[in-house]
Amino acid sequence: MRIMQTESCSWNPTMGLGLDDGAILSPTTALNHEFAHALTYDAAVKEGKLKEWYADCAEGSDPDYGSKNEKWVITRTEQKTAKALGEISEKNTTVHP
């Protein structure tokens, strides 16, 4: 799953994501993660900050998550969704950098 330069999102509705601690994220959480990337892109376009958005998406822009955009999506949207769906506990995180 990833947003490509075609501005599309691919997603497998039957495949979850296994985490290092044994938890499994649902396809719903994975799709919500991808939609969050799309929403940050749309916001950057509307605000005229597309150059900054691409910089935040650059691999290496965050040492723990790979990119600042990925960190934003994981630590906000993804974790909130996973907790709401009971996939992780309030004490857990979806990624352990």
Side-chain angles (χ1 to χ4, degrees):
M1 287 171 296
R2 53 189 274 198
I3 297 172
M4 299 166 241
Q5 289 186 342
T6 59
E7 297 179 358
S8 64
C9 180
S10 62
W11 168 67
N12 183 335
T14 62
M15 184 180 291
L17 175 65
L19 303 179
D20 290 341
D21 65 1
I24 298 175
L25 299 183
S26 67
T28 303
T29 299
L31 181 60
N32 196 43
H33 172 110
E34 297 307 323
F35 281 158
H37 284 299
L39 289 172
T40 64
Y41 174 83
D42 285 348
V45 169
K46 289 178 185 174
E47 295 169 11
K49 296 183 177 181
L50 203 49
K51 184 177 179 180
E52 293 90 341
W53 184 84
Y54 278 109
D56 285 349
C57 290
E59 189 63 34
S61 61
D62 183 272
D64 295 323
Y65 290 85
S67 76
K68 290 179 182 179
N69 186 268
E70 191 68 13
K71 180 179 181 178
W72 189 93
V73 169
I74 290 169
T75 60
R76 289 175 174 81
T77 303
E78 180 180 290
Q79 291 193 35
K80 184 176 181 178
T81 302
K83 287 175 183 178
L85 295 176
E87 297 169 355
I88 62 171
S89 70
E90 284 297 322
K91 296 177 184 178
N92 291 16
T93 59
T94 55
V95 170
H96 307 274

